[in-house]
Amino acid sequence: MDERPTNPDRELVDAVLRGAPGAFERLVRDYQGLCWHIIYRMVRHPEDARELCQETFLRVHQCLHQYRYESALKSWIGQVAYSIALRHLQRKRIPLLEPAADEDIPSPLENLGDEFDLEQAFGDAQVARRLHGAIDALPPVQRTVLTLYHLEEASIPEIAAITGLASGTIKSHLFRARLRLRAVLEGRLGVAV
């Protein structure tokens, strides 16, 4: 009797690879939200995002045999989506990061605990609209990192696996994004956060 713990990622991948009915559809259903969050936050155009999501799942289907279970399936699929969105932005020559004007911004020193409660800021409808606008105005990489961290609840190591960015770089992007969001909320609305 085999008493090894089951691995849901392995079971799903094995089912897709052997062509089990409905297995790939289940994979798409399980990860389409993640794919959409990553791609839409980077490209910000619904039609492009839909096409890139389809391209992502096509690539996942074509390359699933190369998945080696070294990271979670979520991270692997997220990495495929991120890479497809990144190539799309590079082809369109859209800057991925802000120009380096870092001299006036203090170093985050690996600190995410800046006392800014992003979820609390969503409470008021007007604040939420401003917050979404401010998030959309962030550079693609900051938008994506912020979305993965706060909406997908991905950990720093998971975001690193998806984006290929170093943990310190991710923390820096989160710090800067939250700093900008705080400035927008405090400056435009007179809301103390």
Side-chain angles (χ1 to χ4, degrees):
M1 179 181 237
D2 190 5
E3 304 237 351
R4 287 182 293 172
T6 60
N7 178 333
D9 284 353
R10 185 174 293 276
E11 289 174 3
L12 180 57
V13 169
D14 289 346
V16 171
L17 290 176
R18 71 172 181 271
F24 186 69
E25 290 79 6
R26 183 174 144 229
L27 181 140
V28 171
R29 200 172 41 251
D30 289 354
Y31 296 103
Q32 65 187 355
L34 170 71
C35 184
W36 178 260
H37 277 137
I38 292 170
I39 291 174
Y40 183 73
R41 283 298 179 189
M42 288 190 72
V43 302
R44 292 189 304 182
H45 295 101
E47 285 304 313
D48 288 348
R50 276 191 273 287
E51 287 179 25
L52 294 171
C53 282
Q54 289 176 356
E55 184 179 335
T56 296
F57 284 111
L58 179 62
R59 179 79 43 84
V60 165
H61 192 267
Q62 292 170 338
C63 299
L64 194 59
H65 67 281
Q66 296 173 355
Y67 174 60
R68 299 287 174 240
Y69 309 97
E70 294 166 354
S71 62
L73 184 59
K74 172 183 178 179
S75 296
W76 188 78
I77 291 173
Q79 183 179 24
V80 173
Y82 182 80
S83 132
I84 285 174
L86 198 59
R87 273 197 307 278
H88 173 80
L89 293 175
Q90 289 168 339
R91 276 192 311 266
K92 291 193 173 257
R93 300 179 192 261
I94 296 172
L96 302 175
L97 300 170
E98 294 176 297
D102 297 342
E103 291 76 31
D104 58 341
I105 298 176
S107 170
L109 298 174
E110 307 278 320
N111 181 16
L112 292 178
D114 58 2
E115 305 304 315
F116 178 56
D117 188 348
L118 188 61
E119 291 162 7
Q120 182 181 350
F122 269 105
D124 178 56
Q126 182 183 10
V127 173
R129 278 192 301 277
R130 299 270 189 188
L131 187 57
H132 280 292
I135 290 170
D136 284 344
L138 292 171
V141 172
Q142 283 184 0
R143 273 195 314 268
T144 303
V145 167
L146 189 77
T147 298
L148 286 170
Y149 189 77
H150 287 288
L151 298 179
E152 286 295 324
E153 297 180 355
S155 66
I156 300 295
E158 287 174 323
I159 296 170
I162 289 169
T163 63
L165 297 172
S167 294
T169 302
I170 292 166
K171 291 175 183 179
S172 177
H173 283 306
L174 284 170
F175 177 83
R176 291 167 196 273
R178 294 173 78 176
L179 195 63
R180 284 184 65 181
L181 295 178
R182 175 187 286 171
V184 166
L185 291 175
E186 288 176 346
R188 288 190 189 161
L189 297 174
V191 174
V193 285

